[in-house]
Amino acid sequence: MNPNKFSFINPKKWPFFYGYVVLIIGSIGVLFSIPGQTVGVSVFTDPVKDALGLTRNQFSNAYLIGTLLSAFFVTKAGVLFDKFGARFVAFFAAFFLAVALIIFSYAAGISENLKAGLQITSWMIPFLLLCVLFFLVRFCGQGVLTMASRNMVMMWFDKNRGKVNSISSIAVSLGFSSSPILFNYLIDENGWEVSWQILAMCLFIFSFLILQFYRNKPEDFGFIPDGYLVKVKKKIKKENTIEVNFTLKEAKNTRAFWMFGLALAFNSFFSTGFTFHVVSIFKAQGYDKTTAIAVFLPISIIAISVSTLANILSDYVQHKIYLFIMLFSGVLAAVGLLILDNAIGIYLLVIGLGIYSGLFAVVNAVTWPRYFGRDYLGAITGKVMSFLVIASALAPSLFSYCFTTLGSYHYISYILLPFLLFLLMGSFTLKKPEK
């Protein structure tokens, strides 16, 4: 297959290593997944649920069902990534995410027409409609577009993966942090329907740019990762040319796959649940809304700092060390939530979440190709992504259950701490997988 099909861009004629173009466009691709991410959807929660006549619980449950459904298909998308490459997989993900947002913008009208046509006035009509739409935006955005864009960048680098991922992580972190402000501005100025249409138009344009600039792997153009031309590369040591590649089945038989995968899922669970209920969590302990929202700034600063340093060092440091630091910081965060009524609890929560989030960005991008190779990277990361999606889907409801049924968010820590201790015990004998 022609790697430049439908494109005017030829990486061979680029004045410098095309991997740096891939780094930029791939990072932008992750940012364009924001409409399908929790941080993007949450801004639209109130206006959309009110327009559709749903309660907050009904809206949240539709989000839960749609997200869970998407998790079961992400692994299949990873297999398609291995077969067809990042370029076409990301193109269709961005295109259909745009289509889903267009449909979403007409959700209120569609719901009313369905009610009239079926002669049913039940809330189940908009609820089921949202389940389908949330499935589409979560699958295309959080799942496929994010996975394909991040994996593509990692395919173009080897020894410099950590360094380039530090650049990408900073850009993505800043973009995710500022997106709620941008989305809120769009809604205030244009309404939620037009805002989604604007975002959809941007995604349609970006899907065209994907065809022009996304490229699957350097070998398609006579390069190897990091930028050396194969034809002019003289003697390469055997250990630098032989890459050990694991299939998904082989990877699942290793302890490393499960320990790293579950550790990443913990971050997805805790961060999503905490973000969804942050105001209520702090209010229950006597803090106001300003204090609750204020914790995100120091968390972001710590996360970006840790991510930058850890990415640079990841080319030299065993990733098992990162795993232990992640789990220890998770313990800090869980204990912080447990004693949040004390000022030290806030510090533990902020430090723990900041460090964990920073290392999450490193491990989720760099560890998989380093441990399991690139040939089946899509299938492996697709499976891991399903862990993250399921965790993020379950978190808001479980956090809410602890509060409404048991009377306090503290109880979630009694579930999380044993889980972290289990991962710590399982990681002591962890080694980099070998065939």
Side-chain angles (χ1 to χ4, degrees):
M1 181 183 291
N2 178 10
N4 281 325
K5 193 174 183 180
F6 308 121
S7 176
F8 303 106
I9 306 296
N10 188 347
K12 290 183 179 180
K13 297 181 180 180
W14 213 259
F16 52 85
F17 178 49
Y18 194 75
Y20 296 109
V21 177
V22 169
L23 167 62
I24 294 171
I25 195 70
S27 300
I28 295 174
V30 177
L31 292 175
F32 266 86
S33 74
I34 290 177
Q37 303 278 0
T38 301
V39 68
V41 173
S42 61
V43 183
F44 289 86
T45 297
D46 288 324
V48 175
K49 75 176 180 60
D50 293 341
L52 293 174
L54 295 175
T55 66
R56 187 173 297 274
N57 283 341
Q58 290 166 349
F59 186 89
S60 299
N61 288 335
Y63 181 82
L64 167 66
I65 293 172
T67 303
L68 283 177
L69 286 175
S70 71
F72 294 107
F73 291 90
V74 171
T75 303
K76 300 296 182 183
V79 175
L80 293 177
F81 174 92
D82 294 328
K83 184 175 181 180
F84 297 105
R87 190 161 169 250
F88 290 118
V89 170
F91 167 77
F92 284 109
F95 182 85
F96 284 110
L97 176 57
V99 171
L101 292 181
I102 292 290
I103 299 173
F104 231 138
S105 70
Y106 292 100
I110 294 173
S111 175
E112 291 304 317
N113 289 332
L114 287 173
K115 286 181 179 179
L118 298 172
Q119 296 183 341
I120 298 175
T121 58
S122 172
W123 59 270
M124 285 297 295
I125 298 298
F127 176 82
L128 292 174
L129 176 62
L130 280 189
C131 288
V132 174
L133 292 175
F134 275 137
F135 162 73
L136 289 174
V137 298
R138 298 289 280 166
F139 175 70
C140 295
Q142 184 197 25
V144 183
L145 184 56
T146 303
M147 176 197 67
S149 301
R150 182 183 290 122
N151 283 352
M152 177 185 65
V153 175
M154 295 300 100
M155 296 278 277
W156 279 78
F157 296 91
D158 182 13
K159 290 185 176 180
N160 295 320
R161 276 193 189 120
K163 297 181 182 69
V164 300
N165 192 53
S166 66
I167 299 171
S168 178
S169 296
I170 293 173
V172 169
S173 295
L174 292 175
F176 271 62
S177 299
S178 59
S179 62
I181 300 174
L182 173 61
F183 287 7
N184 190 60
Y185 172 79
L186 287 174
I187 293 172
D188 288 342
E189 293 294 317
N190 307 285
W192 65 270
E193 300 98 328
V194 176
S195 296
W196 258 331
Q197 292 167 10
I198 292 172
L199 294 173
M201 291 302 107
C202 292
L203 276 160
F204 280 130
I205 295 171
F206 184 69
S207 64
F208 171 77
L209 296 179
I210 287 175
L211 286 180
Q212 299 306 308
F213 292 99
Y214 271 47
R215 291 299 182 271
N216 298 328
K217 54 185 179 180
E219 288 85 352
D220 292 340
F221 305 95
F223 296 99
I224 63 173
D226 298 310
Y228 300 104
L229 279 168
V230 173
K231 63 182 180 181
V232 300
K233 188 76 175 176
K234 294 182 179 179
K235 290 186 178 180
I236 307 175
K237 292 183 179 180
K238 184 177 180 181
E239 59 267 24
N240 290 335
T241 59
I242 297 177
E243 181 179 65
V244 178
N245 293 285
F246 288 74
T247 65
L248 174 58
K249 183 178 180 180
E250 291 170 337
K252 286 164 64 177
N253 288 330
T254 67
R255 179 173 298 204
F257 174 85
W258 292 104
M259 292 300 102
F260 278 105
L262 292 175
L264 293 174
F266 172 86
N267 182 77
S268 184
F269 179 90
F270 196 105
S271 297
T272 302
F274 175 75
T275 302
F276 254 80
H277 300 286
V278 62
V279 175
S280 178
I281 289 172
F282 277 81
K283 183 179 179 180
Q285 300 304 323
Y287 300 103
D288 58 18
K289 182 178 179 180
T290 302
T291 303
I293 301 299
V295 301
F296 288 109
L297 178 60
I299 288 174
S300 297
I301 293 173
I302 294 172
I304 292 174
S305 302
V306 170
S307 175
T308 302
L309 178 62
N311 268 306
I312 295 173
L313 294 178
S314 70
D315 297 323
Y316 315 100
V317 174
Q318 290 184 12
H319 283 212
K320 179 179 178 179
I321 296 175
Y322 287 170
L323 178 60
F324 281 121
I325 297 175
M326 284 174 66
L327 297 176
F328 179 72
S329 62
V331 171
L332 291 182
V335 171
L337 181 61
L338 194 62
I339 60 170
L340 196 59
D341 54 339
N342 193 303
I344 193 173
I346 299 179
Y347 291 108
L348 291 177
L349 187 63
V350 167
I351 294 171
L353 272 179
I355 295 174
Y356 211 121
S357 298
L359 289 176
F360 173 91
V362 183
V363 172
N364 196 33
V366 181
T367 298
W368 306 116
R370 181 151 296 165
Y371 270 47
F372 302 106
R374 296 180 300 151
D375 284 357
Y376 305 98
L377 184 61
I380 293 170
T381 56
K383 187 65 177 179
V384 174
M385 182 61 75
S386 72
F387 297 165
L388 308 188
V389 174
I390 291 172
S392 68
L394 295 174
S397 295
L398 288 178
F399 268 73
S400 180
Y401 174 81
C402 283
F403 181 65
T404 58
T405 303
L406 302 178
S408 175
Y409 290 103
H410 292 168
Y411 291 100
I412 200 72
S413 291
Y414 293 125
I415 301 173
L416 299 179
L417 286 170
F419 180 73
L420 288 168
L421 292 175
F422 163 75
L423 292 182
L424 278 168
M425 292 174 61
S427 300
F428 280 127
T429 58
L430 184 148
K431 296 180 180 178
K432 183 176 179 180
E434 297 179 353
K435 278 194 173 182

